[in-house]
């Protein structure tokens, strides 16, 4: 998969769409695609991929988007590395599925919601959701493994020369460890802010805009207007989620916003006031 494929936020549609929607439509919970879990924004015990009235998701009208969990070289002396979702801003249509690919381990996807002790930063009526902490699919690792595999692009054991870790094949050729994936169907229009619980302080947060509904009571371009942690975002995530590139209208206009497009990254990414604990 090329970088251009990632920029449109719709990588892996073809065969992937058919495979993923079989899982989502069937309400599969875990492992149907090798380390794949499914969820739904109304996940209250109903199977993943089902709407809140129990009807199956409609595969014919749903698009599968890919978001990768990545770790890159630090753009700031305030952080040991850049921890981020790629893309960091994404526009989808109601009913679309986002496939989170855990190309680097020890990440998750969590909605900002009072159930998790945080200000609601998802549309009213949408239930809180969170993936488990995920990384490599355990079934793709040797039973006697003692050290973690090399991360894609690192050049170490388990990474092939020139491997940029784009998640296109996900190890389906059996040549190495396979990233786990987690699926979520976005049904209700509106703005969704998400974070990685282990790395939120380092800025690992993202925004998904569903449909054309860009008004959100919580949205602001001023980090000082955010609630203080723990109700509000923590650390560098405060700057990420108030970055002009992630304004809802900007995301709808672009369709997909990469981490490198954020002003906070282009300016050197000092945490500044965002380091409030």
């Amino acid at each position: 998969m090329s970088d251009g494929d990632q920029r449109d936020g719709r990588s892996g549609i073809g065969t992937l769409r058919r495979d993923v929607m079989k899982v989502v439509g069937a309400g599969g919970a875990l492992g149907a695609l090798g380390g794949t879990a499914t969820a739904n924004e109304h996940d209250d015990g109903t199977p993943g991929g089902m709407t809140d009235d129990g009807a199956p998701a409609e595969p014919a009208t749903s698009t599968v988007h890919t978001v990768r969990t990545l770790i890159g070289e630090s753009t700031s002396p305030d952080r040991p590395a850049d921890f981020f979702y790629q893309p960091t801003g994404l526009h989808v249509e109601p009913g679309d599925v986002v496939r989170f690919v855990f190309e680097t381990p020890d990440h998750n996807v969590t909605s900002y919601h009072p159930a998790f002790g945080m200000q609601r930063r998802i549309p009213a009526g949408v239930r809180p959701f969170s993936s488990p902490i995920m990384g490599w699919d355990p079934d793709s690792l040797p039973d006697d493994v003692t050290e973690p595999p090399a991360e894609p692009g690192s050049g170490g054991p388990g990474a092939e020369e020139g491997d940029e870790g784009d998640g296109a094949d996900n190890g389906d050729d059996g040549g190495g460890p396979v990233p786990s994936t987690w699926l979520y169907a976005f049904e209700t229009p509106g703005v969704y802010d998400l974070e990685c619980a282990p790395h939120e302080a380092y800025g690992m947060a993202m925004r998904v805009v569903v449909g054309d509904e860009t008004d959100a009571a919580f949205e602001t371009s001023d980090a000082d207007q955010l609630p203080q942690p723990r109700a509000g975002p923590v650390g560098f995530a405060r700057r990420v989620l108030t970055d002009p590139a992630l304004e809802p209208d900007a995301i709808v206009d672009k369709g997909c916003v990469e981490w490198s497009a954020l002003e906070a990254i282009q300016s050197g990414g000092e945490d500044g006031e965002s380091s409030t604990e």
Side-chain angles (χ1 to χ4, degrees), residues 154-176:
S154 68
E160 298 180 359
E161 183 178 356
D163 180 9
E164 297 298 329
D166 56 20
D169 295 327
N170 296 314
D172 289 343
D173 61 0

Side-chain angles (χ1 to χ4, degrees), residues 198-262:
H199 303 114
E200 180 193 9
Y202 296 126
M204 194 163 183
M206 72 171 295
R207 175 167 289 167
V208 178
V209 180
V210 180
D212 297 325
E213 180 55 64
T214 58
D215 290 334
F218 58 78
E219 204 277 325
T220 177
S221 59
D222 183 356
D224 290 336
Q225 298 302 313
L226 292 171
Q228 290 300 304
R230 169 75 288 200
V234 173
F236 192 52
R238 297 175 71 85
R239 286 195 60 191
V240 169
L241 293 174
T242 55
D243 195 278
L246 292 188
E247 291 181 358
D249 286 332
I251 293 175
V252 172
D253 181 58
K254 295 288 186 181
C256 180
V257 178
E258 294 192 346
W259 173 255
S260 60
L262 272 59

Side-chain angles (χ1 to χ4, degrees), residues 9-32:
R10 290 171 170 80
S11 56
I13 294 176
T15 302
L16 172 61
R17 178 195 291 187
R18 292 191 294 272
D19 291 343
V20 170
M21 294 314 295
K22 285 179 183 177
V23 175
V24 174
L30 182 66

Side-chain angles (χ1 to χ4, degrees), residues 41-117:
E41 69 179 42
H42 300 282
D43 193 359
D44 54 358
T46 57
M50 309 294 285
T51 63
D52 54 349
D53 61 2
E58 293 292 338
T61 59
S62 298
T63 296
V64 177
H65 307 258
T66 296
V67 172
R68 303 177 292 156
T69 64
L70 299 179
I71 302 174
E73 183 177 353
S74 178
T75 55
S76 167
D78 295 327
R79 298 187 301 282
D82 277 12
F83 299 82
F84 59 100
Y85 298 102
Q86 186 77 306
T88 312
L90 181 65
H91 178 229
V92 305
E93 295 301 328
D96 283 359
V97 172
V98 174
R99 179 176 184 258
F100 294 91
V101 181
F102 293 83
E103 291 187 15
T104 57
D106 194 30
H107 302 295
N108 80 333
V109 180
T110 299
S111 62
Y112 285 87
H113 191 281
F116 301 137

